[in-house]
Coordinates of all heavy atoms in Angstrom, one line a residue:
F205 N -2.2 101.1 49.5 CA -3.3 100.7 50.3 C -3.3 99.2 50.4 O -3.3 98.5 49.4 CB -4.6 101.2 49.6 CG -5.9 100.8 50.3 CD1 -6.0 101.1 51.7 CD2 -6.9 100.2 49.7 CE1 -7.2 100.7 52.4 CE2 -8.1 99.8 50.3 CZ -8.2 100.1 51.7
V206 N -3.5 98.7 51.7 CA -3.4 97.3 51.9 C -4.7 96.8 52.7 O -5.0 97.3 53.8 CB -2.2 96.9 52.8 CG1 -2.1 95.4 53.0 CG2 -0.9 97.3 52.1
T207 N -5.4 95.9 52.1 CA -6.5 95.3 52.9 C -5.9 94.0 53.6 O -5.0 93.4 53.2 CB -7.7 94.8 52.0 OG1 -7.3 93.7 51.1 CG2 -8.1 96.0 51.1
G208 N -6.6 93.6 54.7 CA -6.1 92.5 55.5 C -4.8 92.8 56.0 O -4.0 92.0 56.4
A209 N -4.6 94.1 56.3 CA -3.2 94.6 56.8 C -2.8 94.2 58.1 O -1.6 94.1 58.4 CB -3.2 96.2 56.7
S210 N -3.8 93.8 59.0 CA -3.4 93.3 60.3 C -3.6 91.8 60.5 O -3.5 91.3 61.6 CB -4.4 94.0 61.4 OG -5.8 93.7 61.1
G211 N -3.8 91.1 59.3 CA -3.9 89.7 59.4 C -2.6 89.0 59.3 O -1.5 89.6 59.5
V218 N 3.1 94.8 55.9 CA 3.1 96.2 56.2 C 4.5 96.6 56.6 O 5.1 97.6 56.1 CB 2.1 96.5 57.4 CG1 2.3 97.9 57.9 CG2 0.7 96.4 56.8
V229 N -1.3 102.6 53.9 CA -2.6 102.8 54.5 C -3.3 101.5 54.6 O -3.4 100.8 53.6 CB -3.5 103.7 53.6 CG1 -4.8 104.0 54.2 CG2 -2.7 105.1 53.3
G230 N -3.6 101.1 55.8 CA -4.2 99.7 56.0 C -5.7 99.8 56.3 O -6.1 100.7 57.1
L231 N -6.4 98.9 55.8 CA -7.9 98.8 56.0 C -8.1 98.2 57.4 O -7.5 97.1 57.6 CB -8.6 98.0 55.0 CG -10.1 97.9 55.1 CD1 -10.8 99.3 54.8 CD2 -10.7 96.9 54.1
A232 N -8.8 98.8 58.3 CA -9.0 98.3 59.6 C -10.6 98.2 59.9 O -11.2 99.2 59.8 CB -8.3 99.1 60.7
R233 N -11.0 97.1 60.3 CA -12.5 97.0 60.6 C -12.7 97.0 62.2 O -13.9 97.0 62.6 CB -13.0 95.6 60.1 CG -12.4 94.4 60.6 CD -13.1 93.1 60.0 NE -12.5 91.9 60.6 CZ -13.0 90.7 60.3 NH1 -14.0 90.6 59.5 NH2 -12.4 89.7 60.8
S234 N -11.7 97.1 62.9 CA -11.9 97.1 64.4 C -10.9 98.1 65.0 O -9.9 98.4 64.4 CB -11.7 95.7 65.0 OG -10.3 95.4 64.9
D235 N -11.2 98.5 66.3 CA -10.3 99.3 67.0 C -8.9 98.6 67.2 O -7.9 99.3 67.1 CB -10.9 99.7 68.4 CG -12.0 100.6 68.3 OD1 -12.2 101.2 67.2 OD2 -12.8 100.7 69.2
A236 N -9.0 97.3 67.5 CA -7.7 96.6 67.7 C -6.8 96.6 66.4 O -5.6 96.8 66.5 CB -8.0 95.2 68.2
S237 N -7.5 96.4 65.3 CA -6.7 96.4 64.0 C -6.1 97.7 63.8 O -5.0 97.9 63.3 CB -7.6 95.9 62.9 OG -7.9 94.6 63.0
A238 N -6.9 98.8 64.0 CA -6.5 100.2 63.8 C -5.3 100.5 64.7 O -4.3 101.1 64.2 CB -7.6 101.1 64.1
A239 N -5.3 100.1 65.9 CA -4.3 100.3 66.9 C -3.0 99.6 66.5 O -1.9 100.1 66.6 CB -4.7 99.9 68.3
A240 N -3.1 98.4 66.0 CA -1.9 97.6 65.6 C -1.3 98.3 64.3 O 0.0 98.3 64.2 CB -2.4 96.2 65.2
L241 N -2.1 98.7 63.4 CA -1.5 99.4 62.2 C -0.8 100.7 62.6 O 0.2 101.0 62.1 CB -2.7 99.6 61.3 CG -3.2 98.4 60.5 CD1 -4.5 98.8 59.7 CD2 -2.1 97.9 59.6
T242 N -1.5 101.5 63.5 CA -0.8 102.7 63.9 C 0.5 102.5 64.6 O 1.5 103.2 64.4 CB -1.8 103.5 64.9 OG1 -3.0 103.7 64.2 CG2 -1.2 104.8 65.4
A246 N 1.7 102.6 60.1 CA 0.9 102.8 59.0 C -0.3 103.7 59.3 O -0.6 104.0 60.4 CB 0.3 101.4 58.5
E247 N -0.8 104.3 58.2 CA -2.0 105.1 58.3 C -3.2 104.1 58.3 O -3.1 102.9 57.9 CB -2.2 106.0 57.2 CG -1.0 107.1 57.1 CD -1.0 107.9 55.8 OE1 -2.1 108.3 55.4 OE2 0.1 108.0 55.2
V248 N -4.4 104.6 58.7 CA -5.5 103.7 58.9 C -6.7 104.2 58.1 O -7.0 105.5 58.1 CB -6.0 103.6 60.3 CG1 -7.3 102.8 60.5 CG2 -4.8 102.9 61.2
A249 N -7.4 103.3 57.3 CA -8.7 103.6 56.7 C -9.7 102.7 57.4 O -9.5 101.5 57.3 CB -8.6 103.3 55.2
R250 N -10.7 103.2 58.0 CA -11.7 102.4 58.7 C -12.7 101.9 57.8 O -13.2 102.6 57.0 CB -12.3 103.2 59.9 CG -11.4 103.5 61.0 CD -10.8 102.3 61.7 NE -11.8 101.4 62.3 CZ -12.0 101.4 63.6 NH1 -11.4 102.2 64.4 NH2 -12.9 100.6 64.1
G251 N -13.0 100.6 57.9 CA -14.0 99.9 57.1 C -13.8 98.5 56.9 O -12.8 97.9 57.5
T252 N -14.6 97.9 56.1 CA -14.5 96.4 55.8 C -14.5 96.2 54.3 O -14.7 97.2 53.5 CB -15.7 95.6 56.4 OG1 -16.8 95.9 55.6 CG2 -15.9 96.0 57.8
V253 N -14.2 95.0 53.8 CA -14.3 94.7 52.4 C -15.6 94.9 51.8 O -15.8 94.9 50.5 CB -13.7 93.4 52.1 CG1 -12.2 93.3 52.3 CG2 -14.4 92.3 52.8
D255 N -17.4 97.6 52.4 CA -17.6 99.1 52.2 C -16.9 99.5 50.9 O -15.8 100.0 50.8 CB -16.9 99.8 53.4 CG -17.6 99.5 54.7 OD1 -18.9 99.4 54.7 OD2 -16.9 99.4 55.7
V258 N -15.5 103.0 50.4 CA -14.2 103.2 51.1 C -13.1 102.6 50.3 O -12.0 103.2 50.1 CB -14.2 102.5 52.5 CG1 -12.9 102.6 53.2 CG2 -15.3 103.2 53.4
L259 N -13.3 101.4 49.7 CA -12.2 100.8 48.9 C -11.9 101.6 47.7 O -10.7 101.8 47.4 CB -12.7 99.4 48.5 CG -13.0 98.4 49.6 CD1 -13.3 97.0 49.0 CD2 -12.0 98.3 50.6
A262 N -10.0 104.8 48.8 CA -8.6 104.6 49.2 C -7.8 104.2 48.1 O -6.6 104.6 48.0 CB -8.7 103.5 50.3
A273 N -7.2 90.8 52.1 CA -8.4 90.4 52.9 C -9.3 89.4 52.2 O -9.5 89.4 51.0 CB -9.2 91.7 53.2

Side-chain angles (χ1 to χ4, degrees):
F205 179 53
V206 181
T207 70
S210 59
V218 168
V229 180
L231 184 68
R233 63 178 180 175
S234 69
D235 291 342
S237 293
L241 287 170
T242 300
E247 301 170 40
V248 175
R250 291 301 296 260
T252 73
V253 291
D255 296 322
V258 172
L259 301 187

